[in-house]
Amino acid sequence: MRGFRRNNKPININDVSIVDDSKSKQAIKAAALGNAIEWFDFGVYGYVAIVIGKLFFAGVDPKYQTILALATFSIAFVFRPLGGIIFGRLGDKYGRQKILATTVILMTVSTFAIGLLPTYATIGILAPILLILIKIIQGVSVGGEYTGAIVFVAEYAPDRKRGFMESWLDFGSIAGFLVGAGTVSLLTYILGQQTFEDWGWRIPFLLSLPLGLVGLYLRHSLEETPAFKQLSESEDKNKKISFKEILSKYKRSMLLCIGIVLCTNVTYYMVLTYLPSYLTDNLKYEGSLGSDLIIPVMIGMLFIQPLVGWLSDKWGRRPFIFAGSLSLLFLSYPAFLLLDSGVATQITIGLIILALSLNMLIGVMAATLPALFPTQVRFSALAIAFNISIVIAGLTPTVTASLVSSTGNLMIPAYYLMIFGVIGLVTASKLKETANKPLFGGAPMAMSEAEAAELLEEFHGTIEERIEKIDAQILALQKKRQGLADKHPEID
């Protein structure tokens, strides 16, 4: 474990944070609901991308309309680093809770606004321009949302349950996406395709308002995290660290963060955002087939997600990153062959393979990333690294759709995932295990006094082991020095 000294004094039992179980559960609910709102919009947009293309880009060749709709989706990701810089800095200065309350408001309002937009037929070129502006606002707000949420939960989670607790954040993400996609499918079934394209597509976006109000209520009632409170009481509370210092001092951690996020989120956007359009536009399946098959697979993912988080607390995070990356490298191509089979059973197996690859990665990502940075810069550093990666990952639907369209090669998505599987393997090989350890530079966190005593004993034991290793290295260097000195006539 990494060393921790509070006010330059050795750590003792009083410095171990005892986490209130009810507060930690409340933190998970509030953070997960915010993620659900974010991914509710992604799910809706992914499933109505074809409709959005027809209505907002009616002035271009039909074969490019869906690509432009997906490109508009990707534009938001270009502005996520800006949101990460703004909200990350504010989160490290003023606290996590205030930022999470702000981002959920911005997300809700911008998603709701899409449902009110006039289309190209009504206001012409202004329609896509307004859509792009709204997606930019979304990008800025989301830039601080996910990273703020994982930091918030990490700083409330006891060391031995951080994987399980953080896994519920992306349970919220998948659930939000599922509800969004399911809402679109249900409305299409009830209203019929033509009525849905005429005005029914607006309803899912408008539904984000009540979801956002619930999320705001939950987040407004939260207390600040124990870790941030400790920082506020320390001598380092007013010490400012520039972005340049963050980039130089925590370069290795940021590169690891980028690798994990790229591997995980390229898979996420490929499976959950691009595949519905791929099955309809490229594989020419009936409009409902993609939804009918993907939605049950996503429901299965909900059950797997917390299981992966729970197991990662026992086995570690690295084994799952290795397994997910290996699956991308060796099973993506067979999975896409199954998707192109035209047989419902085989298509479902292909989707399950991709979904399990994603589960193994996203099940541990939220627990792994906050442990890479200390409290003082955790929000800022994580927001920068995460959102830089998301710019690349968010382009996945657009880049893949363009490559498939230009080359006619239906296996492009598989090759794309294989590349990022290699990136995941390299990252996992360089990552130090973070499971069951305190956050970087922080004190142990426990659920009870008995667990606190156990963690403190482990913590001190690890420090003793590190000191012994250092002493052994010093002794070896002293022997080496003496051996060299013996060869020199004027050095003792």
Side-chain angles (χ1 to χ4, degrees):
M1 296 184 184
R2 303 172 208 206
F4 174 84
R5 294 171 70 88
R6 190 173 180 181
N7 297 326
N8 295 317
K9 295 179 180 179
I11 184 173
N12 57 51
I13 193 67
N14 294 324
D15 294 314
V16 180
S17 297
I18 307 296
V19 183
D20 185 291
D21 189 50
S22 62
K23 289 182 180 179
S24 63
K25 288 179 180 178
Q26 186 182 12
I28 293 172
K29 290 177 185 177
L33 184 58
N35 280 2
I37 295 168
E38 173 189 346
W39 280 91
F40 175 84
D41 169 68
F42 290 170
V44 170
Y45 198 96
Y47 274 73
V48 302
I50 296 173
V51 178
I52 292 287
K54 291 178 181 178
L55 296 177
F56 286 84
F57 299 96
V60 302
D61 189 319
K63 71 178 182 179
Y64 295 117
Q65 289 174 352
T66 301
I67 293 174
L68 286 172
L70 291 172
T72 303
F73 173 85
S74 297
I75 282 174
F77 290 86
V78 176
F79 288 85
R80 285 184 66 150
L82 176 61
I85 291 171
I86 295 171
F87 291 118
R89 203 65 166 175
L90 292 174
D92 281 334
K93 184 175 183 181
Y94 298 110
R96 295 34 168 141
Q97 185 270 341
K98 295 181 178 66
I99 298 307
L100 287 177
T102 303
T103 55
V104 76
I105 293 172
L106 288 174
M107 277 196 319
T108 300
V109 171
S110 56
T111 302
F112 180 77
I114 293 177
L116 302 177
L117 281 180
T119 63
Y120 189 92
T122 305
I123 60 172
I125 193 67
L126 280 177
I129 291 174
L130 289 174
L131 178 62
I132 290 169
L133 289 175
I134 288 174
K135 296 304 287 184
I136 289 172
I137 294 171
Q138 278 187 334
V140 172
S141 62
V142 171
E145 166 60 32
Y146 184 77
T147 49
I150 63 175
V151 166
F152 193 87
V153 174
E155 293 180 351
Y156 254 114
D159 297 340
R160 292 178 176 177
K161 294 183 68 177
R162 187 169 295 118
F164 179 68
M165 291 178 68
E166 287 278 21
S167 69
W168 288 99
L169 284 179
D170 285 300
F171 178 96
S173 301
I174 298 169
F177 192 99
L178 181 60
V179 172
T183 301
V184 172
S185 298
L186 181 62
L187 286 170
T188 304
Y189 175 77
I190 294 173
L191 300 175
Q193 187 65 36
Q194 189 57 52
T195 304
F196 181 81
E197 291 186 10
D198 289 341
W199 57 267
W201 65 271
R202 298 180 183 275
I203 297 175
F205 292 107
L206 299 177
L207 288 175
S208 66
L209 185 59
L211 289 174
L213 292 176
V214 175
L216 178 61
Y217 170 76
L218 288 175
R219 289 186 173 186
H220 186 69
S221 62
L222 291 172
E223 292 184 11
E224 192 50 78
T225 68
F228 189 81
K229 287 180 181 179
Q230 279 187 355
L231 177 65
S232 301
E233 296 168 0
S234 72
E235 297 172 356
D236 294 331
K237 62 180 179 180
N238 295 319
K239 184 180 178 181
K240 294 182 179 179
I241 300 179
S242 67
F243 287 122
K244 185 177 180 181
E245 289 178 283
I246 292 174
L247 293 173
S248 60
K249 190 172 182 179
Y250 302 105
K251 180 180 178 181
R252 184 178 185 277
S253 293
M254 296 191 80
L255 289 174
L256 290 172
C257 177
I258 288 171
I260 294 169
V261 175
L262 280 176
C263 181
T264 304
N265 283 277
V266 164
T267 310
Y268 210 142
Y269 295 120
M270 183 72 78
V271 175
L272 300 185
T273 302
Y274 176 63
L275 276 190
S277 299
Y278 175 78
L279 294 173
T280 303
D281 275 5
N282 301 113
L283 300 185
K284 307 302 179 184
Y285 295 140
E286 293 181 4
S288 62
L289 180 64
S291 301
D292 292 344
L293 295 179
I294 291 176
I295 289 176
V297 171
M298 290 171 62
I299 293 173
M301 289 178 66
L302 289 177
F303 292 96
I304 299 297
Q305 181 70 14
L307 176 62
V308 171
W310 179 74
L311 288 173
S312 77
D313 285 327
K314 300 182 178 300
W315 300 344
R317 325 292 188 216
R318 294 179 74 230
F320 286 96
I321 299 174
F322 270 119
S325 301
L326 284 168
S327 181
L328 291 180
L329 181 59
F330 293 107
L331 298 181
S332 292
Y333 190 85
F336 274 87
L337 287 177
L338 290 169
L339 294 184
D340 192 27
S341 67
V343 180
T345 304
Q346 294 184 31
I347 296 170
T348 302
I349 294 172
L351 290 172
I352 290 173
I353 291 171
L354 295 173
L356 288 175
S357 302
L358 176 56
N359 264 137
M360 286 186 283
L361 295 167
I362 203 162
V364 300
M365 181 179 72
T368 305
L369 300 184
L372 297 174
F373 305 99
T375 307
Q376 189 177 4
V377 298
R378 183 170 293 129
F379 202 153
S380 300
L382 184 53
I384 293 169
F386 186 92
N387 288 297
I388 288 173
S389 314
I390 283 293
V391 173
I392 301 170
L395 293 172
T396 298
T398 307
V399 172
T400 310
S402 300
L403 289 173
V404 172
S405 178
S406 61
T407 64
N409 188 339
L410 296 176
M411 291 297 109
I412 289 293
Y415 301 142
Y416 204 81
L417 289 177
M418 291 166 70
I419 291 170
F420 286 93
V422 173
I423 291 174
L425 288 173
V426 173
T427 303
S429 69
K430 303 294 183 181
L431 180 70
K432 293 180 180 179
E433 187 55 68
T434 62
N436 297 304
K437 296 180 181 180
L439 294 172
F440 192 141
M445 295 180 68
M447 292 291 290
S448 65
E449 291 185 5
E451 186 177 275
E454 291 176 10
L455 288 174
L456 187 62
E457 185 177 350
E458 292 175 7
F459 187 83
H460 287 158
T462 305
I463 290 176
E464 291 171 3
E465 290 176 6
R466 293 177 64 187
I467 291 173
E468 288 174 2
K469 288 181 180 179
I470 292 171
D471 287 342
Q473 290 172 348
I474 291 173
L475 182 62
L477 288 171
Q478 287 175 336
K479 289 181 178 179
K480 185 176 181 180
R481 180 194 181 280
Q482 189 60 49
L484 292 171
D486 290 342
K487 298 177 181 179
H488 196 289
E490 298 179 3
I491 297 179
D492 295 330

